[in-house]
Amino acid sequence: MSIKLTQTISSFLNGNDNVAARARHENFPVATRLLPREERANLMAIYAFARMTDDIGDEAAGDRLALLDWLDDELNLAFAGEAIHPVFQRLTPTIANLNLSPDPFRALIEANRVDQRVTRYQSFDDLVGYCMLSAAPVGHLVLAVFHASTPDRVALSDKICIALQIVEHLQDVGEDARAGRIYLPLSDLERHGCTEGDLLAPSANGPLREVVAYEAERATALLNDGAPLATTLSWRPRIAVEGFVAGGLSVIDALKSADFDVLATHCGPTKRALVTHMASSILARHQGVA
C-alpha cells in the first residue's frame, strides 16, 4: 500500500470514529430497542459497515476507488476472522454467528464504485437496478439477522428497500445535483419538461415538483407492495419492518406537505407521522386477523 493511500485512509477514518452512533440520526429506525440485545448488536454491526461504505463513496477525499478496494480487503479479513478495523471487528462475530455470505456486503461496496463512474440514470428500471446493489442487500442482511430469509420474503424486502432508497434520493435532489449526481430518471425529467439546471435552483419549479410527486407515488406503491413482509414475521422483527415502512411513508408525507419542493425544504420524517403510520399498520393487521 502506498504512503499516500495509507494517509488517505487514516485521514478518513479519523473523522469517522462514531459511525454506529450516527444511527440515531437516520430517517428510518435501524434497530428498535424492542429487539433482543444480540439482534440489535448484529443490526448495528451491519449498519456501521453500510454507513462507512457510503461515507467513503460519498465524502472521502482522495482516491475513493482505492479506499473502496481497501474496504473490500478489510471485508475479506473479517470473513477470515482477522479483522483489523473496529467496524470489521464488530462485524466478524455477526458474520460467523449468522453464517453470512459476503455477497450482500460486496454488492454495497460495488454500488459505491458505481457512484464514482455513473452520475445519471436514463430510466426508472436503470435506477431500480442501481438500488438492487445499493439498498436491497441491506434487506437481505436484515432478514438473515432475523433468521427469516426465504425467497418470498426477500422479494418483498427488495420492494421496501428500493422504495426507501428512492425516498432518500428525493430528499437529496439538490445536494446530489450540486455533487454532480442525478438519481431522478432522465426520461421522467424530460417527460415533465424539467431540465438538469432546475435541480440547482433555490426552490423547485412546477416541472420538478411534478417529477418528485411522480417518483413519490412509485415509492409509495413499492412500500405498500412490500409491507406484507411484516405479517410473515414474529412480533419483534415485524415491528422493525413496520418501522422501516412507516419511516418511508412519513418522509413521503413530508414531501407532500412541502408541495414537493425538495430544494427549499428538508423533508424529514416526524415522530407524529411515524406513530400514525405504525398505528395504521397495527390496526390493519388486527382487522385482517379478525
Side-chain angles (χ1 to χ4, degrees):
M1 183 181 295
S2 70
I3 293 176
K4 184 176 181 181
L5 179 56
T6 301
Q7 291 173 337
T8 300
I9 292 171
S10 177
S11 175
F12 175 78
L13 295 180
N14 287 340
N16 288 268
D17 291 335
N18 297 316
V19 176
R22 294 171 60 183
R24 293 191 300 270
H25 306 293
E26 293 293 312
N27 279 336
F28 314 114
V30 175
T32 172
R33 293 187 179 277
L34 293 175
L35 293 175
R37 180 177 298 178
E38 182 177 355
E39 289 185 350
R40 287 179 58 207
N42 288 334
L43 287 173
M44 291 305 299
I46 291 167
Y47 168 81
F49 166 84
R51 183 71 272 166
M52 172 177 276
T53 304
D54 282 350
D55 285 351
I56 287 176
D58 290 341
E59 301 174 7
D63 190 340
R64 292 179 183 174
L65 288 173
L67 282 168
L68 291 167
D69 288 344
W70 166 81
L71 202 65
D72 220 341
D73 291 339
E74 290 293 307
L75 181 64
N76 290 334
L77 289 175
F79 271 86
E82 301 172 357
I84 297 173
H85 188 272
V87 164
F88 290 91
Q89 289 174 346
R90 290 194 292 271
L91 189 61
T92 296
T94 295
I95 290 170
N97 294 340
L98 298 175
N99 193 28
L100 295 177
S101 164
D103 293 346
F105 298 101
R106 292 205 173 107
L108 294 173
I109 295 174
E110 182 59 26
N112 281 273
R113 289 194 180 105
V114 169
D115 276 335
Q116 310 314 307
R117 61 178 185 266
V118 178
T119 60
R120 305 289 190 278
Y121 293 88
Q122 181 61 38
S123 69
F124 185 70
D125 286 344
D126 293 336
L127 180 61
V128 168
Y130 167 74
C131 292
M132 287 298 294
L133 281 177
S134 65
V138 176
H140 302 173
L141 290 167
V142 169
L143 287 175
V145 169
F146 294 148
H147 303 282
S149 295
T150 66
D152 288 345
R153 285 172 174 154
V154 166
L156 293 172
S157 171
D158 287 349
K159 293 178 185 293
I160 294 172
C161 291
I162 290 168
L164 295 180
Q165 182 74 84
I166 291 169
V167 165
E168 288 194 344
H169 289 328
L170 295 180
Q171 289 178 290
D172 298 337
V173 166
E175 179 182 344
D176 289 335
R178 289 189 294 274
R181 296 177 184 171
I182 296 176
Y183 292 102
L184 298 173
L186 298 184
S187 59
D188 293 337
L189 292 177
E190 182 179 357
R191 185 179 304 115
H192 291 273
C194 183
T195 69
E196 292 190 12
D198 292 336
L199 279 58
L200 297 169
S203 61
N205 61 12
L208 177 54
R209 293 179 195 228
E210 291 174 4
V211 175
V212 173
Y214 183 57
E215 307 305 344
E217 287 181 6
R218 282 173 153 166
T220 300
L222 284 167
L223 287 170
N224 289 335
D225 287 347
L229 170 63
T231 65
T232 73
L233 302 169
S234 59
W235 75 271
R236 283 193 176 98
R238 178 188 300 167
I239 290 175
V241 170
E242 287 174 340
F244 297 144
V245 174
L249 293 174
S250 297
V251 175
I252 293 171
D253 284 349
L255 293 171
K256 293 177 181 177
S257 295
D259 196 19
F260 302 103
D261 186 353
V262 292
L263 300 183
T265 309
H266 174 69
C267 300
T270 65
K271 289 183 179 180
R272 181 174 182 178
L274 280 168
V275 170
T276 297
H277 284 294
M278 287 287 288
S280 296
S281 177
I282 293 169
L283 179 61
R285 184 170 71 242
H286 282 295
Q287 288 175 338
V289 172

